[in-house]
Amino acid sequence: MPVKKLRVEDLLGCNKFNADEKNSHIVIDRAICAKCMNKPCLVACPAVLYTQEDENSEVKFDHLGCLECGTCRIVCHNHGNKGIVKWGYPVGACGISYRYG
Ligand code: SF4
Ligand code: SF4
């Protein structure tokens, strides 16, 4: 039987999220982010949860849709300005349930 290849977007779309809308498991300090030269989070997050409208705008972060991969923490602390002041996993049964590994 032929195996159908799915695009990354399709695979991610199969995941299930139990959102904790009120509590963000990741917190950034926008004042620290404003002084971050490279802002690697903007390109490193696979879910594109760090955004900036233009180079003069503040960095925004939306925790909903987080894949809990930890990439942002690594790039922020190794190549950014350590503006992520809290990084953890969603509490309880909240967060992502992967369906395709
Ligand atoms: S943990 Fe991964 S998916 Fe979540 S915000 Fe960080 S880089 Fe993005
Ligand atoms: S890499 Fe860290 S310090 Fe730099 S903009 Fe992103 S979250 Fe802020």
Side-chain angles (χ1 to χ4, degrees):
M1 188 171 94
V3 176
K4 183 186 174 194
K5 282 192 177 177
L6 295 175
R7 298 176 307 145
V8 172
E9 294 84 354
D10 296 329
L11 292 169
L12 289 175
C14 295
N15 295 325
K16 183 182 170 200
F17 290 92
N18 183 14
D20 184 350
E21 308 227 354
K22 292 186 179 162
N23 303 304
S24 179
H25 57 289
I26 299 172
V27 176
I28 64 171
D29 183 324
R30 289 183 178 154
I32 297 174
C33 292
K35 296 176 186 164
C36 181
M37 296 297 289
N38 299 322
K39 296 180 174 47
C41 59
L42 296 175
V43 295
C45 174
V48 198
L49 300 181
Y50 294 83
T51 56
Q52 184 184 36
E53 284 184 18
D54 58 59
E55 62 182 24
N56 297 317
S57 303
E58 66 181 9
V59 172
K60 293 182 180 170
F61 173 69
D62 180 1
H63 71 284
L64 301 177
C66 177
L67 304 173
E68 301 169 29
C69 64
T71 305
C72 57
R73 184 184 190 189
I74 293 171
V75 298
C76 176
H77 284 232
N78 290 347
H79 306 289
N81 199 31
K82 300 181 173 58
I84 294 178
V85 293
K86 175 191 164 195
W87 196 101
Y89 291 103
V91 295
C94 294
I96 188 169
S97 296
Y98 283 98
R99 297 237 169 109
Y100 279 89

